[in-house]
Amino acid sequence: MNKRIYTHPILENLSTNEEISFSFNSETLSAYKGDTIATALLANQIRTLRYHEESGSPRGIYCNIGHCFECRVTVNDYPGIRACLTLVEEDMVITSGKKLPQPLKHGGEENA
Amino acid sequence: MLDAMIIGAGPAGLSAAISAAQHGLHVEIVDEYYQPGGRLLGQLHQEPDGEWWNGIEETEKLLEQIESLHITIHCSTSVYDLQKVNKKWVTYTDQGNWESQAVLIATGATESPTPIPGWTLPGVMSIGAAQVLTNVQRIQPGERGVVIGVNVLSFAIARELQLAGVDVAGMLLPPPHLLSKSEGVPQEVLSSLLRFSHLAPSVLMHRGAPFVKGRLAKNLVTAFYPEKGMGVWGIPLQLRRTALEIKGKNQVEGIRVAKVNRKGELRNAITHDIDVDFVCIAGGLSPLAELAAIAGCKFIHEDALGGYVPVHNEKMETAVSGLYVAGNITGIESAKVAISQGTIAGLVIAKSLGARMINGKINEALQEVESRRAAATIQFHPHVISSRESLYKTKKTQ
Ligand SMILES: Cc1cc2nc3c(=O)[nH]c(=O)nc-3n(C[C@H](O)[C@H](O)[C@H](O)COP(=O)(O)OP(=O)(O)OC[C@H]3O[C@@H](n4cnc5c(N)ncnc54)[C@H](O)[C@@H]3O)c2cc1C
Ligand code: FES
């Protein structure tokens, strides 16, 4: 579970934000204005942002500050957008990268 | 054309922009993050006097000055190239290019990964990722997790997680393999931990610190180190347990750990699994310096500074004319040091472009860096002072 931290013993309380809606892999979800794509999905208990191009293994954020590119997603048809650096916007359409066919590997075994 | 372009809106870049603009320069800042502050934003630790160092408030203080000096910050703007064309610097970004007379690179630091089996599973993240989630974005990285890697940063952030109601089931050593070297050896980790015993309200740390100087004493302490670990703020600090593998099908479900001896060697094959839903990997920090390399800087390797740093002097000048560096790109240190380094860089750039300033202003700033360095609560490496001294001496005599 990835719960929002509304109150904190030292930091100020989280002021509940304006809700916005967006879509992820065709599912309509809501988040707060000010969320990144990564935190918007975490708040919806979604950790997998994409599947590795070759192995198909699930991937989520790693560094959360733009350095590792593990969080790349497609936003409004632009591929390779870092979910940890990009603020979610109303009606944004986000999709995950999927495992790609590998016609040349092992004589084309994965030629799907 | 700008007088100076500043790359990075962390504490170093912000303070450089302030001191340069105070001396009449037209500067702008670019940063690829969606808000200014850099890694200062996530910081939250208690100083020895009990005061909290709150990165969000510290950032706000800098931003108030930025605003009153009308300095523009371009957020969500990634720099991918930096070149001198016809005696002008051109900063190439995904939002267009900027020309300037001088450039300051203040891109900060990056975390070194410690790959362990299972580390690509969703729910595994760097310790810094958990810090930003928790303190800046205010969402828990998970319900219950472990931290792999015991160092000053992971120590501070484990506490931050706990403050935000996250259950930290333990801090473990990385697996004993080539990449983790001394970070996997209990004796070495313990002696490095004792350098920041002021951060930990723990009996062993406080009482032990003065005594654990020699090798024999270290052996004794690690020999008596409780097998099950010791509580620091209630978090089990397990110097005799190593993380072998992160388990899970579609995301983190648990972690497999094994006992190690004092040297960090696997004692036997007995392992056990801990149920967790997230894992933080803390491999330490190194300077983020690719842009300085592209722009033609020479590099030097200094362990105490966190790895390869662009060759520079104490005035933050590189050997490339019109190119400056400040903050963690010059070596891993705390944000207070980065702020003072930024002030120097801003002043030196202003002076080089003919700005008038009070005599002794730069010297004053140089002295401030030294005193902040000596007083730092979070010191990433014990030899940072001597390493800086030798770096700057070699540069001067060249
Ligand atoms: C994950 C992490 C956590 C840390 N936590 C602590 C802590 O708790 N306590 C502590 O004392 N120190 C901590 N540090 C050390 C920290 O680096 C310093 O305290 C301080 O923030 C350094 O300031 P800086 O201005 O040099 O760099 P930063 O604060 O890192 O700022 C650099 C800025 O440059 C931007 N940038 C980088 N590359 C580009 C590019 N190509 N294009 C555009 N913008 C770019 C970044 O987005 C960032 O905002 C941490 C460092 C990291 C990496
Ligand atoms: S998580 Fe590393 S770039 Fe986004």
Side-chain angles (χ1 to χ4, degrees):
Chain A
M1 278 289 281
N2 297 90
K3 290 193 203 118
R4 300 244 195 219
I5 303 160
Y6 289 99
T7 59
H8 192 283
I10 291 129
L11 298 171
E12 276 178 27
N13 290 343
L14 178 68
S15 43
T16 316
N17 277 314
E18 212 182 300
E19 293 233 349
I20 57 172
S21 76
F22 65 100
S23 86
F24 180 64
N25 294 338
S26 308
E27 190 185 349
T28 303
L29 301 168
S30 69
Y32 291 154
K33 197 167 178 210
D35 267 323
T36 61
I37 294 173
T39 62
L41 290 170
L42 283 178
N44 284 282
Q45 309 312 320
I46 295 170
R47 286 178 166 189
T48 300
L49 297 170
R50 67 184 179 98
Y51 295 90
H52 189 264
E53 292 82 349
E54 188 190 349
S55 69
S57 61
R59 301 299 171 96
I61 54 162
Y62 181 74
C63 73
N64 199 23
I65 52 168
H67 295 168
C68 73
F69 280 75
E70 274 292 276
C71 63
R72 53 190 188 269
V73 289
T74 298
V75 177
N76 302 337
D77 291 334
Y78 281 93
I81 303 291
R82 285 169 284 178
C84 69
L85 288 188
T86 310
L87 293 176
V88 71
E89 285 170 18
E90 184 71 44
D91 297 332
M92 206 176 226
V93 177
I94 305 158
T95 51
S96 292
K98 303 241 162 355
K99 184 177 177 178
L100 300 175
Q102 285 143 49
L104 299 179
K105 204 179 173 192
H106 305 310
E109 149 209 284
E110 298 273 336
N111 201 350
Chain B
M1 184 169 69
L2 297 171
D3 291 325
M5 171 50 100
I6 295 176
I7 306 173
L14 292 175
S15 66
I18 293 165
S19 67
Q22 279 168 342
H23 290 84
L25 260 55
H26 180 201
V27 301
E28 290 188 5
I29 311 177
V30 281
D31 194 302
E32 67 177 349
Y33 207 57
Y34 58 91
Q35 58 176 321
R39 305 292 79 80
L40 175 58
L41 286 169
Q43 299 181 15
L44 186 64
H45 22 84
Q46 210 165 8
E47 303 279 358
D49 63 6
E51 283 291 305
W52 285 90
W53 171 257
N54 177 336
I56 293 174
E57 283 174 5
E58 296 302 325
T59 305
E60 276 163 13
K61 285 184 205 162
L62 291 167
L63 291 178
E64 271 167 31
Q65 296 184 68
I66 291 280
E67 212 167 298
S68 68
L69 290 159
H70 308 290
I71 299 165
T72 306
I73 305 179
H74 306 270
C75 286
S76 302
T77 303
S78 294
V79 178
Y80 63 84
D81 197 4
L82 187 58
Q83 279 183 33
K84 210 165 195 180
V85 182
N86 300 330
K87 297 194 174 157
K88 283 179 273 185
W89 281 101
V90 186
T91 302
Y92 298 87
T93 83
D94 57 358
Q95 308 293 322
N97 308 333
W98 275 271
E99 286 182 353
S100 58
Q101 298 201 60
V103 169
L104 169 69
I105 314 179
T107 45
T110 186
E111 277 189 81
S112 315
T114 307
I116 87 162
W119 78 314
T120 59
L121 281 170
V124 181
M125 67 195 83
S126 73
I127 190 79
Q131 180 181 49
V132 174
L133 282 179
T134 306
N135 297 342
V136 184
Q137 299 168 329
R138 300 293 287 270
I139 184 155
Q140 295 180 341
E143 253 168 285
R144 181 170 199 254
V146 290
V147 175
I148 302 174
V150 180
N151 52 48
V152 66
L153 188 65
S154 69
F155 211 59
I157 299 176
R159 172 102 201 264
E160 294 163 20
L161 291 174
Q162 204 192 29
L163 281 173
V166 177
D167 181 4
V168 183
M171 297 186 71
L172 306 165
L173 297 180
H177 61 49
L178 282 174
L179 275 166
S180 52
K181 284 184 262 167
S182 62
E183 294 111 64
V185 181
Q187 283 171 345
E188 301 302 323
V189 173
L190 187 63
S191 57
S192 77
L193 272 183
L194 293 169
R195 285 195 298 114
F196 43 89
S197 57
H198 57 284
L199 284 173
S202 141
V203 179
L204 180 118
M205 303 285 252
H206 276 299
R207 295 214 186 124
F211 306 111
V212 197
K213 292 264 150 57
R215 172 66 52 188
L216 176 68
K218 262 193 245 171
N219 280 342
L220 276 174
V221 173
T222 26
F224 289 115
Y225 194 86
E227 268 234 342
K228 289 227 162 85
M230 182 181 73
V232 182
W233 302 304
I235 302 170
L237 180 59
Q238 294 172 317
L239 297 184
R240 301 289 288 276
R241 295 284 185 280
T242 184
L244 285 186
E245 187 186 349
I246 301 164
K247 317 267 295 178
K249 191 163 177 285
N250 297 316
Q251 58 171 329
V252 174
E253 290 166 22
I255 182 153
R256 177 152 294 176
V257 300
K259 284 184 195 172
V260 288
N261 66 16
R262 273 183 280 139
K263 295 191 178 115
E265 299 155 347
L266 283 174
R267 222 173 12 187
N268 50 41
I270 300 175
T271 61
H272 71 281
D273 292 351
I274 310 175
D275 287 341
V276 290
D277 72 343
F278 78 98
V279 172
C280 293
I281 295 182
L285 301 175
S286 59
L288 183 61
E290 285 95 336
L291 285 173
I294 292 174
C297 286
K298 285 215 168 65
F299 278 72
I300 180 170
H301 190 276
E302 282 287 335
D303 278 335
L305 298 178
Y308 283 96
V309 296
V311 173
H312 63 281
N313 63 16
E314 73 270 44
K315 289 182 171 171
M316 307 288 108
E317 297 164 312
T318 69
V320 180
S321 115
L323 189 68
Y324 301 79
V325 285
N328 272 206
I329 187 176
T330 74
I332 306 306
E333 293 190 74
S334 74
K336 283 189 191 171
V337 173
I339 291 173
S340 323
Q341 287 181 316
T343 303
I344 296 178
L347 293 173
V348 171
I349 295 171
K351 183 134 202 192
S352 78
L353 297 179
R356 288 169 177 231
M357 63 184 68
I358 308 166
N359 263 345
K361 190 97 189 158
I362 292 176
N363 275 336
E364 209 177 277
L366 286 168
Q367 272 160 18
E368 189 180 70
V369 170
E370 284 183 22
S371 57
R372 285 192 162 186
R373 181 168 289 140
T377 310
I378 289 200
Q379 188 71 276
F380 288 89
H381 197 285
H383 302 310
V384 67
I385 294 179
S386 55
S387 170
R388 290 272 186 205
E389 276 168 4
S390 75
L391 177 67
Y392 297 151
K393 213 181 303 154
T394 15
K395 188 78 202 309
K396 259 183 236 161
T397 53
Q398 265 171 5

